[in-house]
Amino acid sequence: MASLETLPMNCVHSSEEMAYSSDYLIGLMLAVSSSIFIGASFIIKKKGLLKVARNSNSRAGKGGYAYLKEWLWWVGLLTMGVGEGANFIAFGFAPAGLVATLGALSVLVGAVLSSYLLKERLNLYGKIGCTLCLLGSTIVVINTPAEREIDSLATMQAMLLQPAFIIYTIIVVSLGVYLMIFVAPKQGSRNILIYISICSLLGSLTVLSAKGLSISLRFTFGGKSQLLNPLMWFFLLTLIVNITIQMNYLNRALDTFNTAVVTPIYYVLFTTLCTTSSAILFQIWKTVPIAGLITTIAGFLVIVTGVFLLNAFKDFKMSFAELWQQTELYKKHPLLPHPNGEGIRPSHSPLKNNKITSSDP
């Protein structure tokens, strides 16, 4: 048997590399499962609301609370809770930028399930958007740079006190407070970027607080209690305050502007700022080649395009059949409706010598 010394170097992995690989895989699985649960929860809750709407006049959109008596709505809420829990735990294992970016998969899951369970038509733009989300997510997963290993909260504290991150935090908090006090009351209802910017700015700190708290709990359950560490409670307090403010302004944005516009803009700003804050905190530019960063950014832009197509054009009635009808080939050889009404097919086939010959359906 060959000794360890005789093996190629690329076959020998340090325990740290193997541990990171294991943690990354766990975080990735949690992030993906989180998106599946969250995406499904929207559909389940909507089915519950639709059921209430058929049997009651007390609708949620009119301030009613009859949905609280509907078990299906509670199943949806429980499903969302499971998804958010998985998302929270994922921050303790995988890079924050990866977890935040994969949140787009919940949009994809919701779009696909709604077409089957709610009979909402997924048009051609939506199908292309779903494909782009999957493609972009794959690119991001393969190329997301590794974060520095955190072996204690003392290490996390030292990273938080880096001059670059302190400057970033001051800018984010100052800009967020300025928008909330001076801009939002006057222009918030007219400019969609105001409310969403507040949510995204604070969200970039919320994600890091969630990661810090998740790591703290991970150490605690692993036998290294952090319950007496002030930094753990600082993460918890920051998380509660930021989420409360975020939900307030996100609800304002959804109540004031079209959801199809709010969703893609919020995803782009939120994910961009989360990735930026994570990159500054972990200083990924010191360990990641420029090619890897460019590829990750490209994957993110592909996801952004997919999310945009899923939301911005969801009310457009466009199918492949209708697109085909606009081509020159169709104009030269008209097509008739398919007998089952699901599409179109040639009225005659095949083409021989540029003449249309009849054939059986």
Side-chain angles (χ1 to χ4, degrees), residues 245-257:
I245 297 175
Q246 280 180 254
M247 292 305 297
N248 178 34
Y249 283 96
L250 182 58
N251 285 334
R252 293 189 188 186
L254 292 172
D255 187 53
T256 306
F257 303 99

Side-chain angles (χ1 to χ4, degrees), residues 22-89:
S22 176
D23 287 351
Y24 182 91
L25 183 60
I26 293 173
L28 175 61
M29 293 174 62
L30 286 169
V32 173
S33 62
S34 167
S35 295
I36 294 175
F37 278 107
I38 293 175
S41 71
F42 286 113
I43 306 305
I44 297 174
K45 287 199 295 183
K46 186 166 184 178
K47 285 186 70 69
L49 292 173
L50 290 174
K51 186 177 179 181
V52 170
R54 291 193 298 267
N55 303 323
S56 173
N57 293 324
S58 180
R59 302 185 59 175
K62 297 180 180 179
Y65 296 97
Y67 61 88
L68 294 176
K69 299 179 182 179
E70 174 56 48
W71 67 269
L72 197 58
W73 185 88
W74 284 103
V75 171
L77 184 64
L78 179 62
T79 304
M80 175 172 283
V82 173
E84 293 293 353
N87 189 69
F88 172 75
I89 298 174

Side-chain angles (χ1 to χ4, degrees), residues 29 31 41 45 56 76 90 124 139 168 183 192 220 237 252 290 301 310 320 344 350 352 359 361:
M29 293 174 62
S41 71
K45 287 199 295 183
S56 173
L124 181 61
I139 295 173
Y168 174 82
V183 182
I192 190 173
T220 299
L237 178 62
R252 293 189 188 186
I290 187 66
L301 293 177
L310 269 170
F320 181 77
I344 55 176
K352 295 182 179 179
S359 63

Side-chain angles (χ1 to χ4, degrees), residues 196-331:
I196 295 180
S197 294
I198 294 173
C199 295
S200 301
L201 286 167
L202 297 181
S204 67
L205 300 179
T206 302
V207 164
L208 296 181
S209 297
K211 185 173 184 66
L213 182 59
S214 181
I215 292 174
S216 302
L217 294 176
R218 183 182 171 191
F219 287 151
T220 299
F221 290 116
K224 300 178 182 178
S225 178
Q226 304 295 322
L227 296 178
L228 299 180
N229 193 322
L231 190 58
M232 174 180 173
W233 299 104
F234 171 77
F235 286 141
L236 178 60
L237 178 62
T238 304
L239 191 65
I240 294 174
V241 172
N242 283 356
I243 288 179
T244 302
I245 297 175
Q246 280 180 254
M247 292 305 297
N248 178 34
Y249 283 96
L250 182 58
N251 285 334
R252 293 189 188 186
L254 292 172
D255 187 53
T256 306
F257 303 99
N258 192 321
T259 304
V261 179
V262 172
T263 301
I265 294 178
Y266 179 54
Y267 173 76
V268 171
L269 286 180
F270 174 76
T271 307
T272 300
L273 289 172
C274 286
T275 305
T276 301
S277 64
S278 179
I280 294 174
L281 181 65
F282 294 97
Q283 299 183 349
I284 61 174
W285 60 82
K286 292 184 177 180
T287 57
V288 180
I290 187 66
L293 289 176
I294 292 176
T295 306
T296 302
I297 294 173
F300 169 63
L301 293 177
V302 171
I303 296 176
V304 168
T305 304
V307 173
F308 175 77
L309 289 175
L310 269 170
N311 289 274
F313 301 104
K314 65 179 182 180
D315 294 325
F316 280 53
K317 294 182 178 180
M318 173 61 74
S319 65
F320 181 77
E322 292 166 332
L323 183 63
W324 167 248
Q325 290 177 3
Q326 306 302 317
T327 64
E328 290 298 323
L329 181 60
Y330 172 81
K331 293 177 181 178

